[in-house]
Amino acid sequence: MKNVIGFDLDDTLWSVAPVIKRAEALLAVWLEDTVPGYKYNHRKLAVIRDSLIENEPSLAHRLTKLREQIIKNSLGSSVNKDRAVSIAENAMQVFLEARNDVNFFDGATETLIGLSRLYRLGAITNGNADIVRLGLNNVFSFAFYAEQVGAPKPHPDLFLAALAHTNCKPSDFIYVGDDPVKDVDAANELGIKTVWMRSNKERLRGKSKPDRIIEDIRELPAAIKGLIAS
């Protein structure tokens, strides 16, 4: 059986901050064009967000549903309830299209294509980037999301779901991620081998050490080859 390699997505395969910033800007324009008098106010939206999570804590990791609810609630009395639901659903499609329009790190797609010829690849992520919208479904054979599983990393459920789905032992599974706690510590705790993508050059601040450290995604094939051989 092929070794399985799981990937975090945001800040591991691309930089997420500019993606979200652009997606929110496009969303703001769309909402203000669609709803007369509507103003996309970050402070107002943050207050709505906090209130929603306080009343329903699980929304904190159900990112798509959370943003949709924020948009719906922010419409207030500007439109009727049914119209608010429809606008929020359409707004989310605008956001998600932009949210999945990413600039992959140099060499990322080529590296993934090459690795997919040798190993089974998949995504394990807290975010709501979608492998189909991203065009990664030709190299990733599975994807597990916190919103789908019901718990975000560093909770083990995402990793356990991937292990069960692939029928893979932790010792034959390698996980690649940028976050020392949510990715490295969480995977290490289960006996999964880890590669830390130190894309922001920050110091390791987790409680455990990754098996390999890379600073460029193009270093990954050699790191994985070394892990499997060790």
Side-chain angles (χ1 to χ4, degrees), residues 87-218:
I87 289 172
E89 290 175 350
N90 291 331
M92 278 309 303
Q93 292 309 308
V94 172
F95 178 84
L96 289 172
E97 181 177 353
R99 194 263 185 268
N100 286 282
D101 183 12
V102 307
N103 291 317
F104 288 93
F105 290 138
D106 290 344
T109 53
E110 296 86 349
T111 297
L112 292 173
I113 290 169
L115 289 172
S116 70
R117 299 189 181 111
L118 301 172
Y119 314 105
R120 187 175 181 185
L121 311 186
I124 301 175
T125 177
N126 284 353
N128 56 357
D130 179 77
I131 64 168
V132 175
R133 289 178 184 262
L134 291 163
L136 292 176
N137 52 313
N138 61 326
V139 291
F140 284 173
S141 67
F142 65 89
F144 287 94
Y145 306 88
E147 192 155 358
Q148 164 198 9
V149 173
K153 299 176 294 181
H155 195 281
D157 280 4
L158 274 168
F159 297 101
L160 294 174
L163 289 170
H165 175 78
T166 56
N167 193 30
C168 183
K169 298 182 296 184
S171 58
D172 293 327
F173 199 106
I174 298 170
Y175 189 64
V176 185
D178 70 288
D179 191 289
V181 176
K182 296 176 183 178
D183 296 328
V184 175
D185 284 350
N188 282 345
E189 188 71 22
L190 297 172
I192 293 171
K193 295 176 182 177
T194 54
V195 178
W196 181 34
M197 174 63 177
R198 190 166 54 187
S199 57
N200 58 4
K201 308 298 187 294
E202 67 180 22
R203 294 181 63 188
L204 188 64
R205 66 184 191 280
K207 65 181 182 181
S208 64
K209 293 183 178 180
D211 294 286
R212 294 289 189 277
I213 298 174
I214 61 174
E215 296 187 355
D216 187 304
I217 195 67
R218 289 167 290 198

Side-chain angles (χ1 to χ4, degrees), residues 45-66:
L45 296 176
V47 171
I48 294 172
R49 178 187 185 278
D50 292 344
S51 176
L52 285 168
I53 292 175
E54 182 178 356
N55 291 329
E56 191 175 348
S58 69
L59 282 172
H61 64 264
R62 295 162 58 198
L63 301 181
T64 300
K65 185 65 175 178
L66 173 60

